[in-house]
Amino acid sequence: LSLTTQKSRTTIRLRARAWWWCILCFVGMETSSASIAVPSAIRVCVASTNPVKVNSAKLAFEQSFSESTIEVVGKSFPSGVSDQPMSDQETKQGALNRARGVKAQEGDGAFDYFVGMEGGIEPDSEGKLWCLAWMIVVGAGDSGKVGGAKTATFLLPDKIAELVKSGVELGVADDQVFGRVNSKHQGGTVGQLTHGLVSRTEYYRHAMVQALIPFTNPSLY
């Protein structure tokens, strides 16, 4: 055989192998996807009766599990930290306490997921106060898989920051500065400061979707 013919046959064999690898990989991906059962209904318990927190959880679950019917119920449960958490770690701990606590309170039988949300403050080295919130999701069952995520942070105005430093809870400080009533059950601080561009519900929803990553990617976590 000529050198040209040998090269041609080698090229054909390599292309055939490449096609087979593509087919095998595609079949493997389809099999993997099919093996992940999507429940027809998901029940979620949020450790709060605040409508902002309940609604943000519902939106995040509906987007993350679009093929399932989502039911979200709010139940009161204390954070176990101060009314106004003043550090990133305290805020995260409050959310975790709520999620695990409401799971212990309600039991695994009634719900598939348990959610804790906690808003807090993080001071910087210059004494400025930054607003943030933590979302924690705990799965039902003995494994107790945990997912978590933090919102973006934003700087509090001096008027609000001074009130918070004096011991006033952030939601109350907002109401005093902006002349509102119970703003934390509505647009929140972020809604007021962004002139409605980002509501508190939307602010929490983004982080909630990220907190669900371990549950929407079960083969990776």
Side-chain angles (χ1 to χ4, degrees), residues 60-72:
F61 271 90
E62 286 177 341
Q63 290 180 318
S64 300
F65 299 97
S66 58
E67 296 180 19
S68 303
T69 300
I70 307 297
E71 180 182 355
V72 180

Side-chain angles (χ1 to χ4, degrees), residues 51-115:
V52 168
K53 295 182 178 182
V54 174
N55 290 337
S56 62
K58 183 172 174 59
L59 289 171
F61 271 90
E62 286 177 341
Q63 290 180 318
S64 300
F65 299 97
S66 58
E67 296 180 19
S68 303
T69 300
I70 307 297
E71 180 182 355
V72 180
V73 177
K75 299 279 187 176
S76 294
F77 196 87
S79 67
V81 298
S82 59
D83 290 339
Q84 180 55 72
M86 291 299 292
S87 72
D88 180 80
Q89 183 56 43
E90 185 183 15
T91 306
K92 181 180 180 181
Q93 189 61 53
L96 184 60
N97 290 347
R98 288 185 192 273
R100 286 180 171 167
V102 83
K103 178 181 179 180
Q105 173 182 281
E106 301 299 321
D108 284 334
F111 298 98
D112 304 296
Y113 297 93
F114 302 88
V115 176

Side-chain angles (χ1 to χ4, degrees), residues 93-169:
Q93 189 61 53
L96 184 60
N97 290 347
R98 288 185 192 273
R100 286 180 171 167
V102 83
K103 178 181 179 180
Q105 173 182 281
E106 301 299 321
D108 284 334
F111 298 98
D112 304 296
Y113 297 93
F114 302 88
V115 176
M117 304 182 188
E118 192 73 17
I121 302 295
E122 176 73 9
D124 64 17
S125 58
E126 298 177 352
K128 299 290 186 179
L129 300 187
W130 297 78
C131 190
L132 57 94
W134 267 95
M135 317 287 127
I136 297 290
V137 182
V138 176
D142 294 335
S143 66
K145 180 186 286 188
V146 177
K150 182 171 66 173
T151 62
T153 61
F154 60 92
L155 184 63
L156 290 178
D158 289 340
K159 282 187 178 181
I160 295 177
E162 291 307 315
L163 287 171
V164 172
K165 288 177 182 178
S166 71
V168 179
E169 191 266 329

Side-chain angles (χ1 to χ4, degrees), residues 23-35:
I23 292 171
L24 289 172
C25 288
F26 178 77
V27 171
M29 289 173 64
E30 289 294 303
T31 302
S32 174
S33 298
S35 65

